[in-house]
Amino acid sequence: MTYSRQVILSMPVSTKPVLSTSVLSSAIASSVTVSKPRVAVVLMNLGTPDAPTPAAVRKFLKQFLSDQRVIEIPRLLWAIILNLFVLPFRPKRVAKAYASIWQDGDSPMRLILQQQVDLLAERLQQRFAHVDVRVLPAMSYGAPSTYGALDQIRQAGIEHVIVLPLFPQYSATSTGAAIDAVNQWTSKQRDMLSICVIKDYYQHPLLIKALAQTVREYQQEHGQPDKLLMSFHGIPKPYADKGDPYPERCHVTARLVAQALGLTDEQWAISFQSRFGKQEWVKPYTSDLLQQWAAEGVRDIQVISPAFSADCLETLEELALENQHIFLQAGGKSYHYIPALNAHPVHLDMMEALTAPLIEGFLNSGIVSGTEPVHCAAQTSSPDL
């Protein structure tokens, strides 16, 4: 746009000249800014206590077990059960289990999530050098909270967000709860963010590749077992009966991993762990299958849990230790747990493959902007009066 230097702007009743259009042009030039595009990625996991103490575990369990996505018993009845029969007793026992896996002064899940955040941020910042990409950790329950992560994004002036719940197989009890946490924060905002949520990735080629590669790497060092068990976190059977697709997705993941490894049906099996309460859960139960295998003469097994993106209480204590004891006590001879994907390079490849196209989509849409101005070169001539 050009301005004629012949035009003088003045008030009709005044004889005092005001700024000429060249001065306005200088002022405009000095204030024009180019915003660096900004996008945030939030990696979410379920949650963990702040400390391996009964008080911290009680606080965590109260939040977790009060979520109706997790426990669908009528609210009043469950409140009585939770406060009179669960919270007074369970935290002390669970705290001891957490204490047995606590590493470097923190929960393994939280430490691994931060590693995943740092490594993904490095990859995305290298890939999108012209974009301010922020990657943040969040938990559905406990710290770092979902509200805290989204508040940070809001305060940074970022409006476009990708949320990746790190649950490979969607379930209302996990991914659904994570999305609820995001929506609850959003419902309190007058100016909403543009948020894209990745539902799940249970059959993504890089997930299958990562799982199969971790098995091969482990077996190169420890040898091949009689059987490979893929143990997934369970959910109550009525949840699946009502339409939760989680068990079906678990079966798809397990089958694809077995195919990638070239296993016959006799060399592997699927099971479900972490039952809570007396309600029937999806089967077969991991503990029952281990006892059955030992009774049938299976002596050497390896176990992997494709439902967990990071090692945590359910893998390091329940799966690696408790279930090992069950198998060996039933007559088994060798039981080995294969660690979760954690910060494995192929796992990070998958996270990048899931998020990068969405960042590109935001950028290609032309709607992404930032708030930190990069000032254009300004004219510095004196104003014409």
Side-chain angles (χ1 to χ4, degrees), residues 119-263:
L119 291 170
L120 181 61
E122 182 180 343
R123 286 167 171 248
L124 293 177
Q125 288 161 6
Q126 289 178 353
R127 182 165 181 164
F128 299 98
H130 62 296
V131 182
D132 184 356
V133 181
R134 313 276 182 95
V135 184
L136 296 88
M139 302 284 195
S140 299
Y141 317 100
S145 70
T146 303
Y147 273 47
L150 293 173
D151 282 343
Q152 288 182 53
I153 291 168
R154 164 71 76 201
Q155 291 164 8
I158 301 171
E159 295 190 343
H160 302 279
V161 185
I162 298 162
V163 177
L164 173 55
L166 293 174
F167 310 109
Q169 302 83 19
Y170 172 89
S171 171
T173 62
S174 55
T175 315
I179 296 172
D180 285 347
V182 173
N183 290 339
Q184 287 163 10
W185 180 89
T186 299
S187 70
K188 302 179 185 301
Q189 308 303 308
R190 186 170 296 276
D191 185 7
M192 296 174 61
L193 301 180
S194 176
I195 299 177
C196 177
V197 179
I198 298 171
K199 180 178 178 179
D200 64 6
Y201 46 93
Y202 65 101
Q203 56 184 349
H204 194 285
L206 287 175
L207 172 69
I208 306 307
K209 178 181 178 180
L211 290 167
Q213 187 164 325
T214 58
V215 172
R216 292 192 191 98
E217 290 170 353
Y218 191 87
Q219 291 181 351
Q220 284 175 1
E221 181 177 351
H222 300 277
Q224 290 192 332
D226 296 335
K227 288 182 180 291
L228 175 69
L229 179 61
M230 300 191 214
S231 178
F232 293 76
H233 197 292
I235 63 171
K237 186 176 182 297
Y239 296 9
D241 293 340
K242 293 175 184 177
D244 195 311
Y246 176 75
E248 179 183 345
R249 280 162 154 73
C250 292
H251 279 275
V252 171
T253 301
R255 174 63 65 180
L256 290 174
V257 172
Q259 290 175 355
L261 291 170
L263 300 178

Side-chain angles (χ1 to χ4, degrees), residues 18-180:
V18 296
L19 296 179
S20 70
T21 53
S22 66
V23 177
L24 293 179
S25 181
S26 288
I28 291 171
S30 64
S31 64
V32 169
T33 62
V34 176
S35 296
K36 188 176 183 181
R38 287 180 163 192
V39 178
V41 176
V42 179
L43 297 185
M44 291 190 67
N45 213 320
L46 188 136
T48 184
D50 293 331
T53 63
V57 170
R58 186 182 191 281
K59 178 183 177 183
F60 170 72
L61 289 179
K62 184 171 184 179
Q63 183 187 14
F64 173 46
L65 296 177
S66 294
D67 192 338
Q68 288 191 296
R69 285 283 195 183
V70 178
I71 305 293
E72 295 185 2
I73 296 174
R75 201 158 190 173
L76 179 58
L77 175 60
W78 177 241
I80 295 172
I81 297 172
L82 179 63
N83 290 288
L84 294 183
F85 301 101
V86 178
L87 294 179
F89 308 105
R90 190 173 180 84
K92 185 176 181 179
R93 178 174 62 83
V94 175
K96 290 181 180 179
Y98 271 109
S100 71
I101 66 165
W102 220 248
Q103 301 172 4
D104 300 325
D106 205 350
S107 160
M109 177 187 285
R110 191 159 34 236
L111 291 172
I112 294 166
L113 179 60
Q114 188 60 56
Q115 290 174 357
Q116 294 167 334
V117 163
D118 293 342
L119 291 170
L120 181 61
E122 182 180 343
R123 286 167 171 248
L124 293 177
Q125 288 161 6
Q126 289 178 353
R127 182 165 181 164
F128 299 98
H130 62 296
V131 182
D132 184 356
V133 181
R134 313 276 182 95
V135 184
L136 296 88
M139 302 284 195
S140 299
Y141 317 100
S145 70
T146 303
Y147 273 47
L150 293 173
D151 282 343
Q152 288 182 53
I153 291 168
R154 164 71 76 201
Q155 291 164 8
I158 301 171
E159 295 190 343
H160 302 279
V161 185
I162 298 162
V163 177
L164 173 55
L166 293 174
F167 310 109
Q169 302 83 19
Y170 172 89
S171 171
T173 62
S174 55
T175 315
I179 296 172
D180 285 347

